[in-house]
Amino acid sequence: MMLFMINCYINMIYAFVYFGQLFMTLTPPHWCAAPNELFDSDLNLTLEQIKELTVPKDETTGKFAKCKMYQVNFTQVVGGNMSGPDPTWPNTTCINGWTYDFSLYYPTITSQLNWVCEEDWKPSLSQSLFFVGAFMASPVLGWASDRWGRLPIIVATNVMGGAAGVASAFTNSFVAFTSLRFLVGMTFDTHYTVVYILLLEYVSSEYRTIMANVPIMIFLTAGLCAMPWLALYLHDWSTFAIVIHASQVISLSFPWVVPESARWLLSKGRTKETVDIITRAAHMNKKSLTPEVIRELEVRGSF
């Protein structure tokens, strides 16, 4: 049950790591920022009036453009007491930056670094490189868990992924953010699958189906359902990144509470450690461990 609870915890972390970046790179509604002179208190213009005056609308949908603004002398326009914008005015790009609507959204790295319009490819590329990291590292880390054991890889991948994820919250450039998310991607999947394997290596065959699937069914689903509300509550992508990734550092305590795989130890001929773990498990579960069982483990470990 202890291993089961650890697996439940890792399933929630898995949901956070897998989908967390989507909530860091959301693109809030946006439009071209108006020139500063239109915010002069003497003009007495509301924000909606400024938006109506400076941003053209799409002829088909009637919605405000996201990447275009009128290219006119707005001081003269306001001084001329025009009732509204002229659709025939020339357009230009967002030379003053962008204005973002956070009424239903929150500040993300996309809005912080203006990954919109000509740079709207950056969030997608960053997400893709996250999975490139997973694709490249998963086979190597899978081999490493067979070479050096389950527990070291579980701790290493969670600590590395957690540290890179927290560090990504403090980045202010595309290269830095994407590089750190690539490192998180390298640990992704392995930080979960090795825990899953460890659980199954301790559970007898008649219980494996329920022990393997209940954490996914309940805790991974709970993590997915909680994540949007957590992001909305924290209302800041940096804080969100810190919260979801800092929880991975709890894995530093695993060497004291999570046993190494007895099956793996036995396959490496480390019989004494195997017997110690099985003895501790028997004591925890209030079961007796007969000398015959110990001798059988010692015989198996000698091959």
Side-chain angles (χ1 to χ4, degrees), residues 80-117:
N81 294 320
M82 290 190 64
S83 59
D86 184 345
T88 62
W89 285 346
N91 294 168
T92 186
T93 56
C94 299
I95 55 178
N96 302 303
W98 288 264
T99 298
Y100 294 91
D101 180 6
F102 296 125
S103 58
L104 294 177
Y105 285 75
Y106 50 88
T108 64
I109 191 169
T110 300
S111 62
Q112 177 180 312
L113 299 181
N114 291 322
W115 291 348
V116 293
C117 298

PDB file of all heavy atoms in Angstrom, residues 80-117:
ATOM      1  N   GLY A  80     -10.175  66.262 -34.593  1.00  0.00           N
ATOM      2  CA  GLY A  80     -11.154  66.527 -35.639  1.00  0.00           C
ATOM      3  C   GLY A  80     -12.550  66.088 -35.279  1.00  0.00           C
ATOM      4  O   GLY A  80     -13.472  66.210 -36.103  1.00  0.00           O
ATOM      5  N   ASN A  81     -12.725  65.557 -34.061  1.00  0.00           N
ATOM      6  CA  ASN A  81     -14.047  65.145 -33.571  1.00  0.00           C
ATOM      7  C   ASN A  81     -14.738  64.137 -34.482  1.00  0.00           C
ATOM      8  O   ASN A  81     -15.953  64.200 -34.715  1.00  0.00           O
ATOM      9  CB  ASN A  81     -14.957  66.367 -33.380  1.00  0.00           C
ATOM     10  CG  ASN A  81     -14.466  67.284 -32.269  1.00  0.00           C
ATOM     11  OD1 ASN A  81     -14.008  66.809 -31.233  1.00  0.00           O
ATOM     12  ND2 ASN A  81     -14.559  68.587 -32.502  1.00  0.00           N
ATOM     13  N   MET A  82     -13.967  63.200 -35.028  1.00  0.00           N
ATOM     14  CA  MET A  82     -14.574  62.149 -35.847  1.00  0.00           C
ATOM     15  C   MET A  82     -15.379  61.213 -34.960  1.00  0.00           C
ATOM     16  O   MET A  82     -15.001  60.911 -33.819  1.00  0.00           O
ATOM     17  CB  MET A  82     -13.487  61.373 -36.591  1.00  0.00           C
ATOM     18  CG  MET A  82     -12.797  62.172 -37.691  1.00  0.00           C
ATOM     19  SD  MET A  82     -11.729  61.122 -38.708  1.00  0.00           S
ATOM     20  CE  MET A  82     -12.950  60.028 -39.454  1.00  0.00           C
ATOM     21  N   SER A  83     -16.503  60.737 -35.480  1.00  0.00           N
ATOM     22  CA  SER A  83     -17.381  59.879 -34.680  1.00  0.00           C
ATOM     23  C   SER A  83     -16.846  58.467 -34.534  1.00  0.00           C
ATOM     24  O   SER A  83     -17.251  57.731 -33.626  1.00  0.00           O
ATOM     25  CB  SER A  83     -18.777  59.832 -35.324  1.00  0.00           C
ATOM     26  OG  SER A  83     -18.680  59.327 -36.660  1.00  0.00           O
ATOM     27  N   GLY A  84     -15.940  58.068 -35.425  1.00  0.00           N
ATOM     28  CA  GLY A  84     -15.394  56.721 -35.368  1.00  0.00           C
ATOM     29  C   GLY A  84     -14.304  56.533 -36.390  1.00  0.00           C
ATOM     30  O   GLY A  84     -14.019  57.439 -37.193  1.00  0.00           O
ATOM     31  N   PRO A  85     -13.680  55.369 -36.417  1.00  0.00           N
ATOM     32  CA  PRO A  85     -12.594  55.111 -37.372  1.00  0.00           C
ATOM     33  C   PRO A  85     -13.124  54.958 -38.786  1.00  0.00           C
ATOM     34  O   PRO A  85     -14.281  54.590 -38.997  1.00  0.00           O
ATOM     35  CB  PRO A  85     -11.990  53.805 -36.865  1.00  0.00           C
ATOM     36  CG  PRO A  85     -13.131  53.109 -36.191  1.00  0.00           C
ATOM     37  CD  PRO A  85     -13.941  54.187 -35.555  1.00  0.00           C
ATOM     38  N   ASP A  86     -12.263  55.218 -39.727  1.00  0.00           N
ATOM     39  CA  ASP A  86     -12.586  55.043 -41.139  1.00  0.00           C
ATOM     40  C   ASP A  86     -11.955  53.723 -41.605  1.00  0.00           C
ATOM     41  O   ASP A  86     -10.733  53.569 -41.558  1.00  0.00           O
ATOM     42  CB  ASP A  86     -12.021  56.207 -41.945  1.00  0.00           C
ATOM     43  CG  ASP A  86     -12.414  56.138 -43.415  1.00  0.00           C
ATOM     44  OD1 ASP A  86     -12.876  55.064 -43.864  1.00  0.00           O
ATOM     45  OD2 ASP A  86     -12.237  57.149 -44.118  1.00  0.00           O
ATOM     46  N   PRO A  87     -12.765  52.730 -42.010  1.00  0.00           N
ATOM     47  CA  PRO A  87     -12.220  51.418 -42.420  1.00  0.00           C
ATOM     48  C   PRO A  87     -11.213  51.496 -43.553  1.00  0.00           C
ATOM     49  O   PRO A  87     -10.448  50.553 -43.779  1.00  0.00           O
ATOM     50  CB  PRO A  87     -13.472  50.645 -42.847  1.00  0.00           C
ATOM     51  CG  PRO A  87     -14.605  51.315 -42.145  1.00  0.00           C
ATOM     52  CD  PRO A  87     -14.238  52.758 -42.070  1.00  0.00           C
ATOM     53  N   THR A  88     -11.187  52.638 -44.268  1.00  0.00           N
ATOM     54  CA  THR A  88     -10.248  52.758 -45.383  1.00  0.00           C
ATOM     55  C   THR A  88      -8.871  53.248 -44.931  1.00  0.00           C
ATOM     56  O   THR A  88      -7.956  53.350 -45.751  1.00  0.00           O
ATOM     57  CB  THR A  88     -10.798  53.724 -46.445  1.00  0.00           C
ATOM     58  OG1 THR A  88     -10.944  55.035 -45.871  1.00  0.00           O
ATOM     59  CG2 THR A  88     -12.142  53.238 -46.967  1.00  0.00           C
ATOM     60  N   TRP A  89      -8.721  53.556 -43.658  1.00  0.00           N
ATOM     61  CA  TRP A  89      -7.418  53.986 -43.164  1.00  0.00           C
ATOM     62  C   TRP A  89      -6.385  52.891 -43.409  1.00  0.00           C
ATOM     63  O   TRP A  89      -6.690  51.693 -43.326  1.00  0.00           O
ATOM     64  CB  TRP A  89      -7.474  54.274 -41.672  1.00  0.00           C
ATOM     65  CG  TRP A  89      -8.167  55.557 -41.312  1.00  0.00           C
ATOM     66  CD1 TRP A  89      -8.502  56.591 -42.143  1.00  0.00           C
ATOM     67  CD2 TRP A  89      -8.619  55.926 -40.001  1.00  0.00           C
ATOM     68  NE1 TRP A  89      -9.123  57.593 -41.459  1.00  0.00           N
ATOM     69  CE2 TRP A  89      -9.211  57.220 -40.123  1.00  0.00           C
ATOM     70  CE3 TRP A  89      -8.595  55.325 -38.758  1.00  0.00           C
ATOM     71  CZ2 TRP A  89      -9.757  57.886 -39.036  1.00  0.00           C
ATOM     72  CZ3 TRP A  89      -9.122  55.993 -37.669  1.00  0.00           C
ATOM     73  CH2 TRP A  89      -9.704  57.263 -37.809  1.00  0.00           C
ATOM     74  N   PRO A  90      -5.120  53.257 -43.667  1.00  0.00           N
ATOM     75  CA  PRO A  90      -4.073  52.235 -43.839  1.00  0.00           C
ATOM     76  C   PRO A  90      -3.785  51.505 -42.522  1.00  0.00           C
ATOM     77  O   PRO A  90      -3.984  52.057 -41.438  1.00  0.00           O
ATOM     78  CB  PRO A  90      -2.857  53.047 -44.290  1.00  0.00           C
ATOM     79  CG  PRO A  90      -3.107  54.435 -43.790  1.00  0.00           C
ATOM     80  CD  PRO A  90      -4.599  54.627 -43.847  1.00  0.00           C
ATOM     81  N   ASN A  91      -3.364  50.260 -42.663  1.00  0.00           N
ATOM     82  CA  ASN A  91      -3.044  49.431 -41.492  1.00  0.00           C
ATOM     83  C   ASN A  91      -1.538  49.242 -41.355  1.00  0.00           C
ATOM     84  O   ASN A  91      -0.787  49.375 -42.321  1.00  0.00           O
ATOM     85  CB  ASN A  91      -3.696  48.058 -41.614  1.00  0.00           C
ATOM     86  CG  ASN A  91      -5.210  48.104 -41.566  1.00  0.00           C
ATOM     87  OD1 ASN A  91      -5.871  47.124 -41.858  1.00  0.00           O
ATOM     88  ND2 ASN A  91      -5.794  49.257 -41.220  1.00  0.00           N
ATOM     89  N   THR A  92      -1.130  48.949 -40.162  1.00  0.00           N
ATOM     90  CA  THR A  92       0.261  48.608 -39.899  1.00  0.00           C
ATOM     91  C   THR A  92       0.315  47.539 -38.819  1.00  0.00           C
ATOM     92  O   THR A  92      -0.725  47.154 -38.264  1.00  0.00           O
ATOM     93  CB  THR A  92       1.071  49.853 -39.454  1.00  0.00           C
ATOM     94  OG1 THR A  92       2.448  49.504 -39.353  1.00  0.00           O
ATOM     95  CG2 THR A  92       0.591  50.360 -38.095  1.00  0.00           C
ATOM     96  N   THR A  93       1.517  47.054 -38.527  1.00  0.00           N
ATOM     97  CA  THR A  93       1.680  46.050 -37.470  1.00  0.00           C
ATOM     98  C   THR A  93       1.614  46.723 -36.099  1.00  0.00           C
ATOM     99  O   THR A  93       1.529  47.951 -35.996  1.00  0.00           O
ATOM    100  CB  THR A  93       3.028  45.319 -37.624  1.00  0.00           C
ATOM    101  OG1 THR A  93       4.088  46.282 -37.623  1.00  0.00           O
ATOM    102  CG2 THR A  93       3.071  44.532 -38.930  1.00  0.00           C
ATOM    103  N   CYS A  94       1.700  45.908 -35.048  1.00  0.00           N
ATOM    104  CA  CYS A  94       1.556  46.428 -33.680  1.00  0.00           C
ATOM    105  C   CYS A  94       2.864  47.086 -33.233  1.00  0.00           C
ATOM    106  O   CYS A  94       3.669  46.486 -32.488  1.00  0.00           O
ATOM    107  CB  CYS A  94       1.165  45.304 -32.735  1.00  0.00           C
ATOM    108  SG  CYS A  94      -0.411  44.520 -33.158  1.00  0.00           S
ATOM    109  N   ILE A  95       3.074  48.319 -33.676  1.00  0.00           N
ATOM    110  CA  ILE A  95       4.338  49.009 -33.419  1.00  0.00           C
ATOM    111  C   ILE A  95       4.482  49.442 -31.955  1.00  0.00           C
ATOM    112  O   ILE A  95       5.584  49.747 -31.509  1.00  0.00           O
ATOM    113  CB  ILE A  95       4.477  50.240 -34.341  1.00  0.00           C
ATOM    114  CG1 ILE A  95       3.262  51.163 -34.183  1.00  0.00           C
ATOM    115  CG2 ILE A  95       4.636  49.797 -35.787  1.00  0.00           C
ATOM    116  CD1 ILE A  95       3.339  52.420 -35.022  1.00  0.00           C
ATOM    117  N   ASN A  96       3.389  49.449 -31.217  1.00  0.00           N
ATOM    118  CA  ASN A  96       3.441  49.848 -29.803  1.00  0.00           C
ATOM    119  C   ASN A  96       3.322  48.655 -28.856  1.00  0.00           C
ATOM    120  O   ASN A  96       3.140  48.835 -27.654  1.00  0.00           O
ATOM    121  CB  ASN A  96       2.310  50.841 -29.494  1.00  0.00           C
ATOM    122  CG  ASN A  96       2.371  52.069 -30.373  1.00  0.00           C
ATOM    123  OD1 ASN A  96       3.380  52.768 -30.410  1.00  0.00           O
ATOM    124  ND2 ASN A  96       1.296  52.311 -31.117  1.00  0.00           N
ATOM    125  N   GLY A  97       3.426  47.451 -29.408  1.00  0.00           N
ATOM    126  CA  GLY A  97       3.245  46.268 -28.570  1.00  0.00           C
ATOM    127  C   GLY A  97       1.798  45.816 -28.567  1.00  0.00           C
ATOM    128  O   GLY A  97       1.027  46.152 -29.475  1.00  0.00           O
ATOM    129  N   TRP A  98       1.411  45.077 -27.532  1.00  0.00           N
ATOM    130  CA  TRP A  98       0.071  44.499 -27.477  1.00  0.00           C
ATOM    131  C   TRP A  98      -0.585  44.767 -26.135  1.00  0.00           C
ATOM    132  O   TRP A  98       0.080  44.951 -25.116  1.00  0.00           O
ATOM    133  CB  TRP A  98       0.134  42.980 -27.701  1.00  0.00           C
ATOM    134  CG  TRP A  98       0.453  42.587 -29.102  1.00  0.00           C
ATOM    135  CD1 TRP A  98      -0.424  42.257 -30.093  1.00  0.00           C
ATOM    136  CD2 TRP A  98       1.763  42.495 -29.689  1.00  0.00           C
ATOM    137  NE1 TRP A  98       0.238  41.978 -31.263  1.00  0.00           N
ATOM    138  CE2 TRP A  98       1.602  42.104 -31.043  1.00  0.00           C
ATOM    139  CE3 TRP A  98       3.057  42.694 -29.218  1.00  0.00           C
ATOM    140  CZ2 TRP A  98       2.654  41.911 -31.904  1.00  0.00           C
ATOM    141  CZ3 TRP A  98       4.124  42.506 -30.074  1.00  0.00           C
ATOM    142  CH2 TRP A  98       3.930  42.123 -31.402  1.00  0.00           C
ATOM    143  N   THR A  99      -1.894  44.761 -26.166  1.00  0.00           N
ATOM    144  CA  THR A  99      -2.704  44.814 -24.947  1.00  0.00           C
ATOM    145  C   THR A  99      -3.368  43.456 -24.786  1.00  0.00           C
ATOM    146  O   THR A  99      -3.914  42.906 -25.755  1.00  0.00           O
ATOM    147  CB  THR A  99      -3.769  45.919 -25.042  1.00  0.00           C
ATOM    148  OG1 THR A  99      -3.125  47.186 -25.180  1.00  0.00           O
ATOM    149  CG2 THR A  99      -4.648  45.931 -23.800  1.00  0.00           C
ATOM    150  N   TYR A 100      -3.323  42.911 -23.560  1.00  0.00           N
ATOM    151  CA  TYR A 100      -3.874  41.580 -23.297  1.00  0.00           C
ATOM    152  C   TYR A 100      -5.076  41.675 -22.359  1.00  0.00           C
ATOM    153  O   TYR A 100      -5.108  42.506 -21.446  1.00  0.00           O
ATOM    154  CB  TYR A 100      -2.813  40.674 -22.676  1.00  0.00           C
ATOM    155  CG  TYR A 100      -1.667  40.368 -23.609  1.00  0.00           C
ATOM    156  CD1 TYR A 100      -0.527  41.179 -23.627  1.00  0.00           C
ATOM    157  CD2 TYR A 100      -1.719  39.287 -24.480  1.00  0.00           C
ATOM    158  CE1 TYR A 100       0.527  40.915 -24.492  1.00  0.00           C
ATOM    159  CE2 TYR A 100      -0.666  39.019 -25.347  1.00  0.00           C
ATOM    160  CZ  TYR A 100       0.453  39.835 -25.348  1.00  0.00           C
ATOM    161  OH  TYR A 100       1.497  39.567 -26.205  1.00  0.00           O
ATOM    162  N   ASP A 101      -6.058  40.835 -22.616  1.00  0.00           N
ATOM    163  CA  ASP A 101      -7.261  40.780 -21.788  1.00  0.00           C
ATOM    164  C   ASP A 101      -7.116  39.615 -20.805  1.00  0.00           C
ATOM    165  O   ASP A 101      -7.146  38.447 -21.199  1.00  0.00           O
ATOM    166  CB  ASP A 101      -8.493  40.576 -22.681  1.00  0.00           C
ATOM    167  CG  ASP A 101      -9.782  40.499 -21.885  1.00  0.00           C
ATOM    168  OD1 ASP A 101      -9.739  40.725 -20.650  1.00  0.00           O
ATOM    169  OD2 ASP A 101     -10.833  40.199 -22.482  1.00  0.00           O
ATOM    170  N   PHE A 102      -6.951  39.942 -19.526  1.00  0.00           N
ATOM    171  CA  PHE A 102      -6.772  38.920 -18.498  1.00  0.00           C
ATOM    172  C   PHE A 102      -8.040  38.695 -17.670  1.00  0.00           C
ATOM    173  O   PHE A 102      -7.977  38.169 -16.566  1.00  0.00           O
ATOM    174  CB  PHE A 102      -5.620  39.309 -17.560  1.00  0.00           C
ATOM    175  CG  PHE A 102      -4.273  39.373 -18.244  1.00  0.00           C
ATOM    176  CD1 PHE A 102      -3.503  40.521 -18.166  1.00  0.00           C
ATOM    177  CD2 PHE A 102      -3.793  38.289 -18.966  1.00  0.00           C
ATOM    178  CE1 PHE A 102      -2.255  40.587 -18.784  1.00  0.00           C
ATOM    179  CE2 PHE A 102      -2.559  38.346 -19.602  1.00  0.00           C
ATOM    180  CZ  PHE A 102      -1.788  39.497 -19.502  1.00  0.00           C
ATOM    181  N   SER A 103      -9.186  39.105 -18.199  1.00  0.00           N
ATOM    182  CA  SER A 103     -10.429  38.937 -17.433  1.00  0.00           C
ATOM    183  C   SER A 103     -10.764  37.459 -17.222  1.00  0.00           C
ATOM    184  O   SER A 103     -11.251  37.069 -16.156  1.00  0.00           O
ATOM    185  CB  SER A 103     -11.590  39.643 -18.142  1.00  0.00           C
ATOM    186  OG  SER A 103     -11.750  39.136 -19.470  1.00  0.00           O
ATOM    187  N   LEU A 104     -10.506  36.622 -18.230  1.00  0.00           N
ATOM    188  CA  LEU A 104     -10.742  35.179 -18.099  1.00  0.00           C
ATOM    189  C   LEU A 104      -9.438  34.392 -18.176  1.00  0.00           C
ATOM    190  O   LEU A 104      -9.461  33.164 -18.084  1.00  0.00           O
ATOM    191  CB  LEU A 104     -11.705  34.694 -19.186  1.00  0.00           C
ATOM    192  CG  LEU A 104     -13.139  35.220 -19.103  1.00  0.00           C
ATOM    193  CD1 LEU A 104     -13.956  34.711 -20.280  1.00  0.00           C
ATOM    194  CD2 LEU A 104     -13.801  34.799 -17.789  1.00  0.00           C
ATOM    195  N   TYR A 105      -8.338  35.085 -18.368  1.00  0.00           N
ATOM    196  CA  TYR A 105      -7.027  34.441 -18.472  1.00  0.00           C
ATOM    197  C   TYR A 105      -6.129  35.001 -17.373  1.00  0.00           C
ATOM    198  O   TYR A 105      -6.596  35.677 -16.451  1.00  0.00           O
ATOM    199  CB  TYR A 105      -6.412  34.691 -19.853  1.00  0.00           C
ATOM    200  CG  TYR A 105      -7.026  33.869 -20.955  1.00  0.00           C
ATOM    201  CD1 TYR A 105      -8.288  34.183 -21.473  1.00  0.00           C
ATOM    202  CD2 TYR A 105      -6.353  32.779 -21.501  1.00  0.00           C
ATOM    203  CE1 TYR A 105      -8.855  33.433 -22.492  1.00  0.00           C
ATOM    204  CE2 TYR A 105      -6.913  32.030 -22.522  1.00  0.00           C
ATOM    205  CZ  TYR A 105      -8.160  32.358 -23.017  1.00  0.00           C
ATOM    206  OH  TYR A 105      -8.717  31.618 -24.023  1.00  0.00           O
ATOM    207  N   TYR A 106      -4.848  34.728 -17.487  1.00  0.00           N
ATOM    208  CA  TYR A 106      -3.857  35.207 -16.535  1.00  0.00           C
ATOM    209  C   TYR A 106      -2.552  35.429 -17.304  1.00  0.00           C
ATOM    210  O   TYR A 106      -2.386  34.914 -18.421  1.00  0.00           O
ATOM    211  CB  TYR A 106      -3.646  34.188 -15.406  1.00  0.00           C
ATOM    212  CG  TYR A 106      -3.393  32.779 -15.899  1.00  0.00           C
ATOM    213  CD1 TYR A 106      -2.108  32.338 -16.194  1.00  0.00           C
ATOM    214  CD2 TYR A 106      -4.456  31.897 -16.110  1.00  0.00           C
ATOM    215  CE1 TYR A 106      -1.876  31.060 -16.674  1.00  0.00           C
ATOM    216  CE2 TYR A 106      -4.229  30.613 -16.589  1.00  0.00           C
ATOM    217  CZ  TYR A 106      -2.939  30.199 -16.868  1.00  0.00           C
ATOM    218  OH  TYR A 106      -2.711  28.931 -17.354  1.00  0.00           O
ATOM    219  N   PRO A 107      -1.612  36.174 -16.754  1.00  0.00           N
ATOM    220  CA  PRO A 107      -0.348  36.397 -17.463  1.00  0.00           C
ATOM    221  C   PRO A 107       0.409  35.083 -17.686  1.00  0.00           C
ATOM    222  O   PRO A 107       0.613  34.306 -16.753  1.00  0.00           O
ATOM    223  CB  PRO A 107       0.429  37.324 -16.515  1.00  0.00           C
ATOM    224  CG  PRO A 107      -0.625  37.993 -15.692  1.00  0.00           C
ATOM    225  CD  PRO A 107      -1.706  36.977 -15.518  1.00  0.00           C
ATOM    226  N   THR A 108       0.800  34.824 -18.915  1.00  0.00           N
ATOM    227  CA  THR A 108       1.580  33.647 -19.272  1.00  0.00           C
ATOM    228  C   THR A 108       2.903  34.110 -19.879  1.00  0.00           C
ATOM    229  O   THR A 108       3.096  35.296 -20.135  1.00  0.00           O
ATOM    230  CB  THR A 108       0.825  32.770 -20.286  1.00  0.00           C
ATOM    231  OG1 THR A 108       0.669  33.521 -21.516  1.00  0.00           O
ATOM    232  CG2 THR A 108      -0.555  32.379 -19.770  1.00  0.00           C
ATOM    233  N   ILE A 109       3.794  33.166 -20.114  1.00  0.00           N
ATOM    234  CA  ILE A 109       5.058  33.563 -20.740  1.00  0.00           C
ATOM    235  C   ILE A 109       4.810  34.061 -22.158  1.00  0.00           C
ATOM    236  O   ILE A 109       5.563  34.893 -22.676  1.00  0.00           O
ATOM    237  CB  ILE A 109       6.082  32.404 -20.727  1.00  0.00           C
ATOM    238  CG1 ILE A 109       7.468  32.940 -21.146  1.00  0.00           C
ATOM    239  CG2 ILE A 109       5.621  31.244 -21.625  1.00  0.00           C
ATOM    240  CD1 ILE A 109       8.602  31.974 -20.915  1.00  0.00           C
ATOM    241  N   THR A 110       3.740  33.618 -22.774  1.00  0.00           N
ATOM    242  CA  THR A 110       3.384  34.098 -24.111  1.00  0.00           C
ATOM    243  C   THR A 110       3.058  35.584 -24.087  1.00  0.00           C
ATOM    244  O   THR A 110       3.504  36.346 -24.954  1.00  0.00           O
ATOM    245  CB  THR A 110       2.188  33.304 -24.657  1.00  0.00           C
ATOM    246  OG1 THR A 110       2.539  31.923 -24.738  1.00  0.00           O
ATOM    247  CG2 THR A 110       1.789  33.793 -26.036  1.00  0.00           C
ATOM    248  N   SER A 111       2.289  36.009 -23.092  1.00  0.00           N
ATOM    249  CA  SER A 111       1.963  37.433 -22.985  1.00  0.00           C
ATOM    250  C   SER A 111       3.144  38.229 -22.433  1.00  0.00           C
ATOM    251  O   SER A 111       3.337  39.394 -22.780  1.00  0.00           O
ATOM    252  CB  SER A 111       0.733  37.638 -22.100  1.00  0.00           C
ATOM    253  OG  SER A 111       0.968  37.191 -20.773  1.00  0.00           O
ATOM    254  N   GLN A 112       3.956  37.604 -21.580  1.00  0.00           N
ATOM    255  CA  GLN A 112       5.111  38.299 -21.000  1.00  0.00           C
ATOM    256  C   GLN A 112       6.157  38.633 -22.051  1.00  0.00           C
ATOM    257  O   GLN A 112       6.731  39.730 -22.045  1.00  0.00           O
ATOM    258  CB  GLN A 112       5.734  37.419 -19.914  1.00  0.00           C
ATOM    259  CG  GLN A 112       6.992  38.009 -19.282  1.00  0.00           C
ATOM    260  CD  GLN A 112       7.565  37.092 -18.219  1.00  0.00           C
ATOM    261  OE1 GLN A 112       6.847  36.598 -17.353  1.00  0.00           O
ATOM    262  NE2 GLN A 112       8.861  36.846 -18.279  1.00  0.00           N
ATOM    263  N   LEU A 113       6.391  37.688 -22.973  1.00  0.00           N
ATOM    264  CA  LEU A 113       7.414  37.883 -23.998  1.00  0.00           C
ATOM    265  C   LEU A 113       6.825  38.178 -25.381  1.00  0.00           C
ATOM    266  O   LEU A 113       7.548  38.196 -26.370  1.00  0.00           O
ATOM    267  CB  LEU A 113       8.314  36.641 -24.072  1.00  0.00           C
ATOM    268  CG  LEU A 113       9.071  36.299 -22.780  1.00  0.00           C
ATOM    269  CD1 LEU A 113       9.959  35.072 -22.980  1.00  0.00           C
ATOM    270  CD2 LEU A 113       9.909  37.482 -22.303  1.00  0.00           C
ATOM    271  N   ASN A 114       5.504  38.372 -25.426  1.00  0.00           N
ATOM    272  CA  ASN A 114       4.820  38.742 -26.680  1.00  0.00           C
ATOM    273  C   ASN A 114       5.053  37.727 -27.795  1.00  0.00           C
ATOM    274  O   ASN A 114       5.433  38.078 -28.923  1.00  0.00           O
ATOM    275  CB  ASN A 114       5.266  40.139 -27.134  1.00  0.00           C
ATOM    276  CG  ASN A 114       4.768  41.235 -26.219  1.00  0.00           C
ATOM    277  OD1 ASN A 114       3.648  41.179 -25.711  1.00  0.00           O
ATOM    278  ND2 ASN A 114       5.596  42.233 -25.985  1.00  0.00           N
ATOM    279  N   TRP A 115       4.783  36.450 -27.477  1.00  0.00           N
ATOM    280  CA  TRP A 115       4.885  35.406 -28.502  1.00  0.00           C
ATOM    281  C   TRP A 115       3.574  35.334 -29.286  1.00  0.00           C
ATOM    282  O   TRP A 115       2.863  34.327 -29.255  1.00  0.00           O
ATOM    283  CB  TRP A 115       5.183  34.062 -27.854  1.00  0.00           C
ATOM    284  CG  TRP A 115       6.564  33.981 -27.256  1.00  0.00           C
ATOM    285  CD1 TRP A 115       7.590  34.841 -27.423  1.00  0.00           C
ATOM    286  CD2 TRP A 115       7.045  32.952 -26.380  1.00  0.00           C
ATOM    287  NE1 TRP A 115       8.700  34.423 -26.717  1.00  0.00           N
ATOM    288  CE2 TRP A 115       8.393  33.272 -26.076  1.00  0.00           C
ATOM    289  CE3 TRP A 115       6.481  31.805 -25.837  1.00  0.00           C
ATOM    290  CZ2 TRP A 115       9.176  32.481 -25.235  1.00  0.00           C
ATOM    291  CZ3 TRP A 115       7.263  31.014 -25.003  1.00  0.00           C
ATOM    292  CH2 TRP A 115       8.587  31.346 -24.712  1.00  0.00           C
ATOM    293  N   VAL A 116       3.249  36.402 -29.954  1.00  0.00           N
ATOM    294  CA  VAL A 116       2.009  36.477 -30.723  1.00  0.00           C
ATOM    295  C   VAL A 116       2.334  37.022 -32.112  1.00  0.00           C
ATOM    296  O   VAL A 116       3.439  37.506 -32.364  1.00  0.00           O
ATOM    297  CB  VAL A 116       0.965  37.372 -30.021  1.00  0.00           C
ATOM    298  CG1 VAL A 116       0.503  36.744 -28.713  1.00  0.00           C
ATOM    299  CG2 VAL A 116       1.532  38.767 -29.743  1.00  0.00           C
ATOM    300  N   CYS A 117       1.345  36.930 -32.980  1.00  0.00           N
ATOM    301  CA  CYS A 117       1.457  37.441 -34.359  1.00  0.00           C
ATOM    302  C   CYS A 117       2.668  36.833 -35.068  1.00  0.00           C
ATOM    303  O   CYS A 117       2.696  35.619 -35.258  1.00  0.00           O
ATOM    304  CB  CYS A 117       1.496  38.967 -34.341  1.00  0.00           C
ATOM    305  SG  CYS A 117      -0.034  39.682 -33.659  1.00  0.00           S
TER     306      CYS A 117
END
